[in-house]
């Protein structure tokens, strides 16, 4: 499918060719009138046609000489744009830096133009916010995802994860979290609930215990001892848990002492805290955990890609649009922020531009110099060549009229003297 730029260029080419034909046709009429005037001996018409031909041809030469050598002949001072490209770029850069990047002129324009207010009005419109969101969702985000390497991101996540873990004292955290268990009846209630849960799970898994016991008994017992052993194991565990559930039982007292001793060591023993830290860090270094961390980026990337493929239903795109529009609405109502933005543009940005105006001028100059002379000439002709054909047309008509004036003056002089 032909791009919009190519379509516009084709339209401009057709318009340029049409205007060239019109200018050439008018010159052809002048030549025809000259032939008629000479043949039928019409002095006034001859004067008009002669001057029209001179004016048309002279202006044709002037217009063509801007872009190329007339008739392909390398006449001096022709093909000006292509041969003088570097000088044009130099002059253009100097002109922009001296005339446009001028403090007095810029200050006047910036004072007239409330950039922050206009920007907030533009951003607050839903259609404009959607354009920005579409640009980000279609071009920026997919471009970033393609540019970055998955291995680098995963390595970065692993390094950051390890650094964050290394900087955390898990022993202190655990001690702080368990400290409330040493106060009041929170520990007792929690332990009672835990033991009750274990008793319930034991009852629910009685068949599993029986199977495990059977798998562990000697083959030569022929299964005679399986039932009695499994029942003994089950009943023993159940009795232990039932007794432990009672706060005053000997088993519960032992458990309480163990828990209290553990909590005390976590709170007061540096060695215990180091052990907790080491255990957690060792766990984080296991391959399974590292694989999970690596998978985080894959999941994030897949989620982003799948969401962006939804088009107008993309939550990312809609959130960006909503954020842009909210920013625009918020900025409109924040007079202080509008004033700050405008002051930044008037002062800081203006200072940056003025301090770098030579750099900007040099950039324009070097950019123009890097262009191909013939290509620049063709592009300029495509843009302004149509209007320049009016010079040829006007030259032909004005030349003819001047010829008539000269003829009339000469005629008046001749007959007045005679």
């Amino acid at each position: 499918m032909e791009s919009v730029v190519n379509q516009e260029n084709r339209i401009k080419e057709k318009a340029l060719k049409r205007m060239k034909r019109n200018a050439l046709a008018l010159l052809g009429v002048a030549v025809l009138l000259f032939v008629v005037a000479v043949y039928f001996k019409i002095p006034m018409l001859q004067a008009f046609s002669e001057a029209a031909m001179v004016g048309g041809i002279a202006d044709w030469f002037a217009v063509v000489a801007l872009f190329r050598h007339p008739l392909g002949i390398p006449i001096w001072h022709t093909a000006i744009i292509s041969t003088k490209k570097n000088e044009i770029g130099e002059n253009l850069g100097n002109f922009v830096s001296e005339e446009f990047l001028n403090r007095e002129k810029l200050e006047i324009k910036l004072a007239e133009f409330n950039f922050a207010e206009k920007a907030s009005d533009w951003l607050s419109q839903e259609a404009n916010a959607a354009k920005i969101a579409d640009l980000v969702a279609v071009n920026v985000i997919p471009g970033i995802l393609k540019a970055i390497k998955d291995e680098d991101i995963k390595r970065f996540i692993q390094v950051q994860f390890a650094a964050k873990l290394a900087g955390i004292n898990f022993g202190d955290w655990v001690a702080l979290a368990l400290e409330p268990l040493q106060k009041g009846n929170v520990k007792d209630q929690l332990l009672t609930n835990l033991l009750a849960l274990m008793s319930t799970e034991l009852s629910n898994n009685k068949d599993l215990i029986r199977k495990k016991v059977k798998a562990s008994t000697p083959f030569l017992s022929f299964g005679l001892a399986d039932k009695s052993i499994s029942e003994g194991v089950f009943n023993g565990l159940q009795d232990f848990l039932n007794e432990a559930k009672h706060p005053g039982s000997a088993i519960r007292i032992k458990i309480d002492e163990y828990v209290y001793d553990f909590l005390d060591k976590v709170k007061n023993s540096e060695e215990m805290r180091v052990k907790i830290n080491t255990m957690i860090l060792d766990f984080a270094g296991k391959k399974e955990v590292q694989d999970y961390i690596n998978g985080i980026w894959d999941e994030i990337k897949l989620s982003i890609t799948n969401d962006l493929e939804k088009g107008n239903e993309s939550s990312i795109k809609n959130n960006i649009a909503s954020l842009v529009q909210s920013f625009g609405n918020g900025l409109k109502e924040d007079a202080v922020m509008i004033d700050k933005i405008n002051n930044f543009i008037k002062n800081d940005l203006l200072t940056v531009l003025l301090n770098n105006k030579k750099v900007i001028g040099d950039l324009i100059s070097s950019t123009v110099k890097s262009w191909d002379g013939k290509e620049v000439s063709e592009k300029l002709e495509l843009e302004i060549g149509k209007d320049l054909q009016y010079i040829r047309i006007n030259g032909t008509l004005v030349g003819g009229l001047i010829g008539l004036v000269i003829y009339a003056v000469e005629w008046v002089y001749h007959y007045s003297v005679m």
Side-chain angles (χ1 to χ4, degrees), residues 116-126 129 321-335 337-338:
E117 185 176 335
K118 293 183 182 298
S120 63
D121 288 337
W122 192 86
L123 293 173
S124 62
Q125 297 179 25
E126 184 177 354
S322 177
L323 182 64
V324 171
Q325 193 172 6
S326 298
F327 175 77
N329 289 326
L331 186 60
K332 287 170 65 176
E333 300 172 359
D334 194 335
M337 183 58 70
I338 286 180

Side-chain angles (χ1 to χ4, degrees), residues 123-179:
L123 293 173
S124 62
Q125 297 179 25
E126 184 177 354
N128 295 330
K131 289 179 181 178
I132 295 177
D134 190 62
L135 175 66
V136 174
V138 174
N139 297 317
V140 178
I141 297 178
I144 293 174
L145 292 178
K146 290 180 180 179
I148 58 179
K149 295 181 179 180
D150 292 344
E151 295 76 13
D152 294 338
I153 295 296
K154 292 177 181 179
R155 189 182 306 110
F156 174 79
I157 294 175
Q158 286 182 345
V159 171
Q160 293 300 313
F161 180 73
K164 293 296 182 184
L165 284 182
I168 297 175
N169 192 327
F170 289 99
D172 289 343
W173 280 27
V174 173
L176 183 64
L178 295 180
E179 185 175 357

Side-chain angles (χ1 to χ4, degrees), residues 55-342:
I57 294 173
D59 286 335
W60 165 82
F61 182 90
V63 171
V64 172
L66 286 173
F67 306 105
R68 64 185 67 85
H69 298 298
L71 301 176
I73 303 172
I75 303 172
W76 192 40
H77 285 308
T78 59
I80 295 172
I81 292 176
S82 58
T83 57
K84 299 291 183 179
K85 172 178 62 69
N86 293 345
E87 290 86 342
I88 293 173
E90 192 77 32
N91 293 332
L92 180 61
N94 292 333
F95 176 75
V96 170
S97 62
E98 295 301 327
E99 296 298 325
F100 284 90
L101 300 179
N102 177 280
R103 177 174 289 277
E104 290 74 19
K105 294 179 180 179
L106 286 175
E107 284 180 344
I108 293 173
K109 289 298 180 182
L110 290 175
E112 296 173 351
F113 187 77
N114 191 330
F115 174 83
E117 185 176 335
K118 293 183 182 298
S120 63
D121 288 337
W122 192 86
L123 293 173
S124 62
Q125 297 179 25
E126 184 177 354
N128 295 330
K131 289 179 181 178
I132 295 177
D134 190 62
L135 175 66
V136 174
V138 174
N139 297 317
V140 178
I141 297 178
I144 293 174
L145 292 178
K146 290 180 180 179
I148 58 179
K149 295 181 179 180
D150 292 344
E151 295 76 13
D152 294 338
I153 295 296
K154 292 177 181 179
R155 189 182 306 110
F156 174 79
I157 294 175
Q158 286 182 345
V159 171
Q160 293 300 313
F161 180 73
K164 293 296 182 184
L165 284 182
I168 297 175
N169 192 327
F170 289 99
D172 289 343
W173 280 27
V174 173
L176 183 64
L178 295 180
E179 185 175 357
L181 296 179
Q182 291 181 301
K183 301 175 182 178
N185 62 348
V186 177
K187 173 176 65 66
D188 293 335
Q189 186 61 45
L190 182 62
L191 189 56
T192 299
N193 293 339
L194 178 61
L195 292 169
L197 178 63
M198 293 175 64
S199 178
T200 301
E201 289 299 315
L202 181 64
S203 298
N204 293 338
N205 291 278
K206 188 174 182 179
D207 292 338
L208 179 61
I209 293 173
R210 185 178 291 114
K211 291 179 181 178
K212 292 290 184 182
V213 171
K214 183 178 180 180
S216 302
T217 55
F219 175 75
L220 294 176
S221 67
F222 299 103
L224 298 177
D226 295 348
K227 185 175 181 180
S228 59
I229 293 174
S230 62
E231 288 294 330
V233 171
F234 176 78
N235 292 333
L237 291 174
Q238 194 65 268
D239 291 341
F240 175 84
L241 293 175
N242 287 334
E243 185 176 355
K245 284 188 291 183
H246 298 291
S249 66
I251 295 176
R252 179 60 173 268
I253 292 173
K254 287 289 185 182
I255 295 175
D256 287 343
E257 290 176 353
Y258 176 79
V259 172
Y260 182 85
D261 183 60
F262 174 75
L263 294 178
D264 186 66
K265 286 183 178 180
V266 171
K267 182 179 180 181
N268 300 309
S269 173
E270 183 65 26
E271 182 182 357
M272 177 61 74
R273 298 187 188 192
V274 171
K275 286 183 179 180
I276 293 174
N277 268 341
T278 302
M279 180 181 68
I280 294 176
L281 292 176
D282 289 344
F283 173 78
K286 290 184 177 296
K287 183 179 182 302
E288 293 80 0
V289 178
Q290 294 298 312
D291 290 342
Y292 174 77
I293 295 173
N294 288 336
I296 292 176
W297 169 246
D298 293 329
E299 291 294 329
I300 292 174
K301 186 176 180 180
L302 181 62
S303 298
I304 293 174
T305 303
N306 291 339
D307 182 81
L308 294 179
E309 289 177 351
K310 296 179 182 178
N312 292 332
E313 301 298 323
S314 167
S315 59
I316 295 176
K317 178 180 175 181
N318 292 332
N319 286 334
I320 293 174
S322 177
L323 182 64
V324 171
Q325 193 172 6
S326 298
F327 175 77
N329 289 326
L331 186 60
K332 287 170 65 176
E333 300 172 359
D334 194 335
V336 175
M337 183 58 70
I338 286 180
D339 190 54
K340 286 183 178 180
I341 293 174
N342 285 331

